[in-house]
Amino acid sequence: MIDRRNFLINILGFLLLAGSTHLIAQESISGDHVTVRWLAPSSFVDRASEKIGFYFEVDPGWHVYWRNPGDSGAAPRFTITPNGAEVGAIEWPFPSRLKIEHLTNLGYEGNVAYLFDLTPDRGGKVIALSAELEWLVCKIECIPGFGTMTLTRPVSDETRWSSANLDLRNHFAKRVPQSSVYSPWKPISLAAQGKDRIHLLLESETASKAPKVFPINGDLFTASKPKLQREGKTLDYTFGRQPGAALSESADFVLTDGTRAWRLDRVSFGTAMPEAQSRPLWLLVLAALAGGIILNLMPCVFPVLSIKLLGLVNEGYSESGRWREGLLYGAGVLTTFIALGVLLLVLRSWGAAIGWGFQLQSAPVVMALIALFWLMGLSFSGVFEFGHRLVNLAGVSRGGSFATGVLAVFVAAPCTGPFMGVALGTAAVLPAVEALLIFLGLGMGLAAPFVLLCASPVLLKRLPRPGPWMEKLRQFLAFPLYATVIWLLWVLGRILGESGWLIGALLLLAVTFTLWLGYNFSRIGRIIAWILMLTFLVIGYSTLTPKEKTFSKVAAGWQEYDRSLLDQALEEGRPVFIDYTAAWCITCQVNKKLVLDTPEVQRLFHKNKVLLLRADWTRQDPEITEALAALGRNSVPVYAWYPAGSREPQLLPQILQESIIADLFNEKRKGK
């Protein structure tokens, strides 16, 4: 006979256990690659508002989304039914831009808490919440999830949190955007430019670091990172506009410095942005023209111009022939400038963090230039004779001027002379047509001296007459070509690491051997030589893979660029000097050797306790590209000087002298 008392006790215990298990299960949900649980205290205080939320624990590599999910994905949805309390709207911590293939998503890579305010009703004893959740968790593939959670808590005389949950709540509460009243950046204007761009102008009297800006309206703004142009205390963000999207009366944004965030609510659209930026377009084109002319004097251009000079003084040119050579050279320069400009603008519109001179951040391009200059040098030295093919490519004889113009731009482009920095930096944010006018101005400036020489019989008469001396000059001009090869091998070593020199030298040896084999043997030998050359090229180029850490340590007294070091120094009121440089920028190397790394200048920096940061842009570095863009530049060299106590940088000339550095501290050079 069954003991009725024990039976009832067992049934009651089972029901209590089942109810308890059911309650625990409802306070969390487990889905594919994500677990959601309440972030809440164990008790609340009557009528006291408390911030609680939903804590998403996500597997490594997976992410969930912000309120504006970006190009793909979906924001989570929360439907909360309260009993015994009032609840506020969901508060969204500031997001990150997540690159997934060719798309840009806005969300959280890792754990995140979506918070909201809860206020118990007056006199209530228990709070009960029921929440229906929907979410999407993604890596490359995406998995939807949904479920219902409940929360039941007593109302007592104090709020009781576990220390772990309270720390989590406070961490994400700090990442929730504050009111625009507390923002150090204030909106100046919001305006459409054409059909595919929207400009947001911000201004700050105190902040130096440009914030990241996220538009809340994904139907109007694309999610990709906006282009940034800095002009003094003004920041100009250029956002992409969704195709065919109609303008609203206003737009909302979230700004963040990486630690805190602020809302900009209802920023009204004004009149359309003028086609030119803060500087007139004609002035920018004029600066580009002057910069292109000065580019002829840069040391990286000398070998190519020397080759063209040798071809120019050769006999046999009629007046029409000279005109033809000049026009071909100019066409080669202009075509290449426009092509590089278009490629630069297209890549930047796709979100690539690159700048002017990007072609020499590529190991294959550097290797191709090494081989070209090596073969040209051997030809000029008389070691090999290749008929007119290589000579025509170099532009020594007729018909090669176009190729010389192409080569001149490719080697000259990494050098940034006076006037070029502002023009190139502005071109990166101008509409395509206006930007291409600036590139066209640069090309016209580079081509102008040679074209003028071809068009002026008076200037040509001042050149020496052809004679036996030309063969000696031709042999002499091989040496700057060899010097260029050495320089490019060094650049290759900076890109690839210690193996760069060895790879480049071995490839040149292999190419030279195959050319010798083909030149000195029969037709079969030449066929074998070409097969060997192609084999060596394939093997060589397959090894051109940059390593993660390849750069040697910076010179004594300098530190590698680190934004946190800069922020710390500015916070302490310490002066800072930043050298934005690259191995392929000869102007940068000259400034280092003759000015920045000299004992006199180093003692001057040390005496004034200057933090020296060297931002090496030899390889593609998005952080340095972003820092340059914040200064309104996209080429090197750039020298940024932060005086003690100032958060606004001063940009120094691109050709440095010791006196320029001394003037920063109001000191005179020794012996002056």
Side-chain angles (χ1 to χ4, degrees), residues 27-345:
E27 290 204 7
S28 67
I29 307 173
S30 293
D32 291 326
H33 304 289
V34 63
T35 298
V36 188
R37 65 178 177 87
W38 287 102
L39 204 56
S42 57
S43 65
F44 291 91
V45 174
D46 186 24
R47 298 296 297 171
S49 180
E50 189 71 23
K51 199 177 294 292
I52 67 172
F54 304 96
Y55 184 52
F56 282 65
E57 296 178 280
V58 185
D59 286 352
W62 293 76
H63 61 270
V64 290
Y65 291 91
W66 189 49
R67 59 191 303 180
N68 170 14
D71 292 336
S72 64
R77 298 174 61 182
F78 309 93
T79 303
I80 305 173
T81 303
N83 185 6
E86 296 179 358
V87 297
I90 293 293
E91 299 175 352
W92 306 78
F94 68 82
S96 299
R97 285 186 169 88
L98 308 174
K99 296 293 292 183
I100 308 296
E101 302 295 338
H102 62 286
L103 303 176
T104 300
N105 292 338
L106 303 180
Y108 312 96
E109 192 165 22
N111 301 341
V112 66
Y114 301 93
L115 305 177
F116 61 92
D117 287 324
L118 181 146
T119 305
D121 293 340
R122 183 182 300 276
K125 300 299 182 181
V126 176
I127 294 173
L129 301 180
S130 175
E132 295 181 5
L133 280 67
E134 298 178 31
W135 66 83
L136 193 66
V137 59
C138 298
K139 191 174 186 180
I140 294 178
E141 67 276 22
C142 292
I143 302 175
F146 57 90
T148 300
M149 297 172 58
T150 60
L151 180 73
T152 302
R153 293 290 188 268
V155 177
S156 63
D157 56 352
E158 64 175 325
T159 302
R160 299 183 180 91
W161 281 90
S162 69
S163 59
N165 282 346
L166 183 60
D167 289 343
L168 279 174
R169 194 283 306 268
N170 291 341
H171 170 75
F172 288 104
K174 291 179 181 178
R175 301 173 72 87
V176 172
Q178 306 175 56
S179 168
S180 59
V181 175
Y182 305 104
S183 172
W185 295 275
K186 305 301 179 184
I188 300 176
S189 68
L190 177 66
Q193 182 181 23
K195 297 181 179 180
D196 58 354
R197 291 181 179 83
I198 298 176
H199 285 260
L200 172 67
L201 268 63
L202 304 177
E203 186 177 52
S204 176
E205 296 293 333
T206 58
S208 61
K209 180 181 178 181
K212 294 180 180 179
V213 183
F214 300 93
I216 293 178
N217 186 352
D219 295 332
L220 177 59
F221 296 86
T222 61
S224 59
K225 182 179 179 181
K227 296 177 182 178
L228 172 62
Q229 175 77 14
R230 181 189 290 268
E231 183 69 30
K233 298 178 180 179
T234 302
L235 302 176
D236 182 357
Y237 292 86
T238 304
F239 292 90
R241 180 176 172 181
Q242 295 286 8
L247 291 180
S248 54
E249 293 184 358
S250 63
D252 302 326
F253 301 89
V254 166
L255 316 179
T256 177
D257 61 3
T259 303
R260 299 165 298 167
W262 302 267
R263 298 189 315 273
L264 294 183
D265 296 327
R266 295 182 295 280
V267 181
S268 300
F269 276 92
T271 57
M273 289 284 291
E275 291 302 305
Q277 297 297 305
S278 57
R279 295 181 178 86
L281 181 60
W282 67 266
L283 185 60
L284 292 172
V285 174
L286 189 62
L289 182 67
I293 293 174
I294 295 175
L295 201 58
N296 286 274
L297 305 177
M298 292 292 149
C300 47
V301 187
F302 174 74
V304 175
L305 291 187
S306 299
I307 296 168
K308 196 61 230 175
L309 178 63
L310 181 61
L312 188 65
V313 299
N314 201 358
E315 57 185 342
Y317 283 102
S318 63
E319 183 175 350
S320 61
R322 291 194 303 269
W323 265 106
R324 180 174 177 273
E325 291 295 303
L327 293 177
L328 282 174
Y329 175 79
V333 170
L334 294 179
T335 301
T336 311
F337 254 110
I338 293 298
L340 286 177
V342 168
L343 181 60
L344 174 67
L345 294 175

Side-chain angles (χ1 to χ4, degrees), residues 350-507:
W350 290 348
I354 60 173
W356 191 245
F358 65 93
Q359 67 275 17
L360 287 189
Q361 294 174 332
S362 167
V365 172
V366 174
M367 189 69 247
L369 289 175
I370 289 172
L372 176 61
F373 280 116
W374 177 250
L375 294 175
M376 290 166 60
L378 292 177
S379 176
F380 272 55
S381 295
V383 176
F384 296 105
E385 294 294 340
F386 303 115
H388 291 290
R389 294 182 181 178
L390 183 62
V391 177
N392 282 347
L393 180 62
V396 175
S397 64
R398 301 177 185 181
S401 294
F402 185 90
T404 304
V406 173
L407 192 59
V409 177
F410 234 77
V411 179
C415 295
T416 304
F419 303 106
M420 283 184 63
V422 174
L424 285 173
T426 308
V429 297
L430 281 172
V433 175
E434 288 84 346
L436 291 179
L437 285 176
I438 291 179
F439 292 123
L440 191 63
L442 285 167
M444 292 175 64
L446 179 61
F450 178 75
V451 174
L452 182 62
L453 197 60
C454 290
S456 174
V458 176
L459 292 176
L460 280 177
K461 288 180 180 179
R462 295 182 177 274
L463 294 177
R465 292 182 178 277
W469 63 271
M470 290 185 60
E471 181 60 27
K472 293 182 179 180
L473 176 61
R474 169 181 163 142
Q475 295 175 5
F476 171 77
L477 289 178
F479 292 99
L481 295 176
Y482 296 141
T484 304
V485 170
I486 295 173
W487 163 57
L488 290 172
L489 282 171
W490 178 66
V491 173
L492 190 65
R494 298 282 287 179
I495 296 175
L496 299 179
E498 296 179 355
S499 63
W501 272 89
L502 182 61
I503 293 172
L506 289 177
L507 189 57

